[in-house]
Amino acid sequence: MSSVQGSTLTSEETDLSTTSLPQRPYQVVVWNDPVNLMSYVSWVFRSYFGHSEARAHELMLQVHHEGRAVVAGGAREKAEKDVTAMHQYGLQATLEESE
């Protein structure tokens, strides 16, 4: 045990460097492009992410009108996998830390 200014620290308190901190959430952003049809983008959102037809359409319109939409979120590894999948579908996508 370590002693700091007369107080005794437990092994839990001195072993903070090995304690994993909660992971920050990440989000998958799909960007507008001049190549893919809106119907195709909607289909990708439904088939890959499992979004309802209405939600997929809403996200597709957001991509079309605003230039981007957050289509998924979660742990970094999952979000990275989703971005890679979007690239394989031919969509432009990036990963961002959630605020």
Side-chain angles (χ1 to χ4, degrees):
M1 296 209 188
S2 302
S3 179
V4 178
Q5 294 181 355
S7 68
T8 303
L9 299 176
T10 67
S11 61
E12 281 181 28
E13 293 169 324
T14 58
D15 202 18
L16 291 176
S17 63
T18 60
T19 304
S20 62
L21 297 173
Q23 291 186 357
R24 287 186 164 185
Y26 284 79
Q27 54 193 23
V28 178
V29 178
V30 172
W31 298 87
N32 193 27
D33 66 53
V35 178
N36 292 295
L37 297 174
M38 292 188 291
S39 58
Y40 175 71
V41 173
S42 260
W43 176 82
V44 170
F45 295 164
R46 285 192 329 269
S47 58
Y48 182 79
F49 293 109
H51 290 309
S52 68
E53 187 172 344
R55 179 67 177 146
H57 185 75
E58 178 184 333
L59 289 168
M60 174 276 298
L61 286 176
Q62 187 177 1
V63 169
H64 181 70
H65 293 296
E66 298 176 26
R68 62 175 262 157
V70 174
V71 297
R76 183 180 181 121
E77 289 178 0
K78 167 87 169 75
E80 286 174 345
K81 178 183 169 196
D82 293 343
V83 167
T84 299
M86 293 300 96
H87 293 165
Q88 291 171 341
Y89 279 104
L91 301 182
Q92 296 177 3
T94 57
L95 178 73
E96 293 180 354
E97 278 190 61
S98 295
E99 297 177 2

